[in-house]
Amino acid sequence: MKDKILIVEDDINTLNGLAEILEDENFEVVKARNAREAAAEFRNNHFNVVLLDYLLPDKDGMELSREFLEEQPEIRIIMLTAFGTVKNAVNAMKLGIYDYLTKPINLDELLIIIRRAIQEQKLIIENIDLKSKILETYRFENIIGVSGKMQEVFKKIVKVANSDATILLRGESGTGKELIARAIHYQSPRKNGPLIEINCASIPETLLESELFGHEKGAFTGAYKMKKGKFELANNGTLFLDEISEIPISLQAKLLRVLQERRFTRVGGVDNIEVNVRLIAATNADLEKIMAEGLFREDLYYRLNVISIFVPPLRERREDIGPLTDYFIQKYAQKNNRNIKGISQEAREILMNHDWPGNVRELENAIESAVVMAEGEYIQPEDLPAYLQMTTQKPSPFQALLQNQNNMSYKEKLEAFEREIIRQALLESNGNKTQAAKKLGFTPRTLRNKVKKYNL
Ligand SMILES: Nc1ncnc2c1ncn2[C@@H]1O[C@H](COP(=O)(O)OP(=O)(O)OP(=O)(O)O)[C@@H](O)[C@H]1O
Ligand SMILES: [Mg+2]
């Protein structure tokens, strides 16, 4: 397909001359003699470049450019004018006009500019396409992750979602395992089936079996009627077993059997119940260690560990802290109906420097509280939870001195301390030496000498 150029020029000779030359150069050309015609053509075609006369009978060329650029920011406009003043050129460039040529037009120059304009434009458009494609593939609702490590996780989610394979999600507490389990379900062909979640740690051991597999009426004291377990409820969908390491060893065999045979019996029952369930398990524990201690069956471990996804701790993907911060500010400003627009650079730096042992959950809680506490439109360091402000406070000059690495002698250190004490006193007295001397218990003369000695 030929690249397309719109020429807007009221002088008919110039218009036809330019059109002929550009057609010879293998461009597709459309001609317009005034702003009205140009606007109509612009709307009905897709041009790469517009050659625009600055002086048009019905409209200022700048004004028309503004309209074009608003509609199509990637359009390349080259302005032609007889009055090539620097001022015009500057204005034109500010507006986003690509280049500027004065009449009489140098044709070689014009062709070079047009070709360069089109080349650059194509590169930009390709880039935009590429970016939006990446975003489409590896973006999940509510999961923020711009870091390479999270992009890898997203890639893996896309890859595994279509299969029925069991998945083991690993990572520290608060890294987003649950969120990822949901993403896998909603990306999978089972998305219209149920997603059932159960946290093995939050259910007493004695009840866990019945929670997972259900029970028959009269199976135990209190079992007044039959109850379906999570495996049955998750039929044709996904079962998310959180904190899998907490499943007592006595139950692990039964779990293994469901995974292998896709059937089980309810507690107190004899009938085999068949289910079609995809299992996603998650743990923040060291399964290998628990296995070595004999508390986790090896066969179950291998059965679960077919595909494992490791969600890295937040401190190992610091690039995500900024985007997560912005996301949570928006989320909690909306939720709490607060007009918070963002976060100050200083406060952001505190967040960037913290190690986040509680990972994303900790960051989320910190932002929620900051959004509620903030007085202004931007979150300030003092709005953040106090423990965060502490960890990143700069060491005091005294601490810095004590930690100094430059092999100062005892005497040098003492002097450095003395200098610092005097400097502080002067600061606190706003430079008033009499007052500072009083504070320090010096005579004015001693202070004067010290100030001189220490170059204060
Ligand atoms: N990438 C992320 N984008 C947005 N929110 C996130 C992200 N990761 C985690 N969160 C949020 O952080 C909180 C903790 O995440 P989640 O419950 O998924 O962690 P977890 O790994 O399951 O932790 P645990 O092991 O303690 O159960 C949730 O509120 C979740 O929405
Ligand atoms: Mg969880």
Side-chain angles (χ1 to χ4, degrees), residues 157-342:
I157 295 176
V158 174
K159 259 197 214 156
V160 301
N162 273 324
S163 76
D164 265 342
T166 299
I167 291 175
L168 181 60
L169 296 174
R170 310 194 62 167
E172 289 177 14
S173 187
T175 45
K177 297 184 293 297
E178 194 173 329
L179 216 52
I180 287 170
R182 289 190 199 145
I184 295 173
H185 171 75
Y186 288 110
Q187 291 283 315
S188 78
R190 294 170 179 268
K191 60 171 174 279
N192 295 320
L195 168 63
I196 304 290
E197 309 187 14
I198 177 167
N199 186 329
C200 304
S202 65
I203 294 165
E205 250 187 72
T206 46
L207 288 183
L208 192 57
E209 182 176 7
S210 138
E211 275 296 315
L212 285 173
F213 303 105
H215 62 248
E216 300 291 353
K217 185 177 169 182
F220 46 83
T221 330
Y224 299 115
K225 49 182 183 179
M226 184 278 279
K227 190 183 157 211
K228 288 184 179 177
K230 302 289 186 194
F231 267 99
E232 257 179 286
L233 295 173
N235 195 23
N236 293 321
T238 307
L239 178 63
F240 175 48
L241 278 184
D242 205 355
E243 311 226 26
I244 186 94
S245 62
E246 300 305 307
I247 291 203
I249 191 115
S250 55
L251 250 187
Q252 290 175 17
K254 194 163 178 181
L255 180 58
L256 182 66
R257 184 174 166 230
V258 198
L259 292 181
Q260 280 170 340
E261 300 172 14
R262 298 177 159 232
R263 34 182 188 176
F264 61 90
T265 53
R266 296 191 192 120
V267 176
V270 284
D271 294 340
N272 272 317
I273 293 166
E274 296 210 9
V275 282
N276 174 3
V277 168
R278 188 222 200 137
L279 187 73
I280 303 177
T283 183
N284 54 31
D286 186 347
L287 274 189
E288 289 76 9
K289 187 166 156 251
I290 298 174
M291 192 165 69
E293 288 165 353
L295 295 171
F296 205 86
R297 288 180 70 119
E298 218 176 311
D299 44 11
L300 178 59
Y301 170 82
Y302 287 112
R303 190 81 204 184
L304 288 172
N305 206 10
V306 181
I307 297 173
S308 78
I309 299 180
F310 175 68
V311 193
L314 189 54
R315 64 183 169 280
E316 284 175 18
R317 45 180 168 108
R318 290 186 181 272
E319 313 93 286
D320 289 340
I321 295 174
L324 280 165
T325 299
D326 298 335
Y327 171 75
F328 289 137
I329 290 175
Q330 223 184 354
K331 176 172 164 185
Y332 287 105
Q334 207 165 20
K335 186 175 158 208
N336 296 293
N337 217 350
R338 304 235 35 208
N339 181 25
I340 307 288
K341 297 214 169 83

